[in-house]
Each structure stands twice: as structure tokens, then as C-alpha cells.
Amino acid sequence: MKKRFLEAGQIVNTHGIRGEVKIQSWCDSPEFLCALSTLYIDERPVHVRSARPHKSCVIASLDGVGDVNAAMILKGKTVFFDRCDAPLPNGNFFLGDLIGAEVRDADSGDVLGNVTEVLTPPAHNVYVVTGGKHSYMIPAVDAFVLETNADEGYLTVRLIEGMES
């Protein structure tokens, strides 16, 4: 079952004296985070009054956070968004939806394990697969990931020598 609330980033600092916070975005881009009108902190909805990209971060003004002291209390908090507030085009998925997905070998049909982590280095994502006989690090490229079905919770992959650890 897909999680309703997904991690969007972390409040890493205050910005100025009016209570703005600096959020390190964990989304594809800071602009994605800026487009959201509600974020969730400690499972409570917080209206975003304004948000703008700043390098790889977002500077946001949040309801109920009117000065630097109120903003300082939020430092270190993870912010979430409701997946209903961010519809995706058909065929797209959130990386968080892959955590726990079953990974199947295209050639043998064997279950290799489950995705336990998605690494996001600059070149391309890498799926960490554990729970089977071996652990694998599988680059998320068409040559290795033949099918991704986030709705049904599985991936079909083709392995090459050196992927298992």
C-alpha cells in the first residue's frame, strides 16, 4: 500500500528574522516543493504562505511561524506532502513508492529481494535490493530495469556480473 504522506525535505535553518525557513528539498527539484500549498510537519498540516527556490533549497514562509524564534524550533524537522496534492502524469511514480517493491529477474523469473533504498547520485538513481540470497545495486537505467510497476509493487530487472555485493 502506498503511503499517503511522502518525505519532501528537511528544515535545515532559518532565513532572516521574519520566520522564514530554509528547506533542503529531497524532491526532483525545489520548484516541485514550491508548488505545494500545504506541507506536513509532525503529522500536522501547515499552510505555505510563500515559497521560492534558493539554490538547491526552498525558502518558505509558513503559517504560524512569524519570527526567527518560531522558525528555530522547526530546525531539523522533516517536511512531508500529501500525494493527493501532487498528481503525477501516467507512467510516473514517486521514488518512495518503490521502497519494499519486489524485484524479479527477467531471465529466470526468480525473486531477487526487495528495494530497500534508492540512491540518488548525479548520474542516475540506483536501487539497493536486499532480502534474497545476495544484495544488489542496480542502476535505474533501461538496460537493467526492464519494467517498473509501482502500482503493483514490483520491478523486473536484467542483471550483469558485478551487480551483486
Side-chain angles (χ1 to χ4, degrees):
M1 173 140 172
K2 294 181 181 177
K3 294 179 185 176
R4 178 176 171 190
F5 298 98
L6 299 171
E7 293 180 348
Q10 182 178 41
I11 298 174
V12 293
N13 214 339
T14 61
H15 184 82
I17 60 171
R18 293 195 172 109
E20 288 182 311
V21 294
K22 182 177 182 180
I23 303 171
Q24 177 67 54
S25 176
W26 296 340
C27 303
D28 285 348
S29 71
E31 289 78 12
F32 176 87
L33 191 57
C34 288
L36 299 170
S37 61
T38 303
L39 295 174
Y40 294 80
I41 302 171
D42 294 334
E43 300 180 4
R44 294 189 352 232
V46 178
H47 176 73
V48 179
R49 291 190 305 241
S50 68
R52 65 188 182 281
H54 179 73
K55 300 180 183 174
S56 65
C57 294
V58 171
I59 304 298
S61 174
L62 307 173
D63 270 357
V65 184
D67 61 33
V68 70
N69 294 326
M72 196 61 144
I73 293 169
L74 299 176
K75 189 173 176 180
K77 300 267 186 186
T78 300
V79 296
F80 295 80
F81 69 95
D82 186 331
R83 75 169 50 249
C84 297
D85 294 339
L88 293 173
N90 282 342
N92 290 12
F93 53 88
F94 293 111
L95 290 180
D97 292 339
L98 296 182
I99 302 300
E102 185 177 86
V103 179
R104 304 170 184 167
D105 185 296
D107 297 322
S108 68
D110 292 342
V111 174
L112 302 172
N114 298 83
V115 176
T116 54
E117 186 177 2
V118 179
L119 306 176
T120 57
H124 51 265
N125 295 339
V126 176
Y127 302 145
V128 178
V129 179
T130 60
K133 292 183 219 174
H134 304 284
S135 296
Y136 302 90
M137 294 183 74
I138 303 172
V141 296
D142 292 343
F144 305 121
V145 180
L146 306 181
E147 181 183 9
T148 302
N149 190 324
D151 290 331
E152 293 186 29
Y154 72 88
L155 287 82
T156 305
V157 301
R158 178 158 288 126
L159 300 177
I160 60 170
E161 192 173 325
M163 282 186 179
E164 74 182 50
S165 54

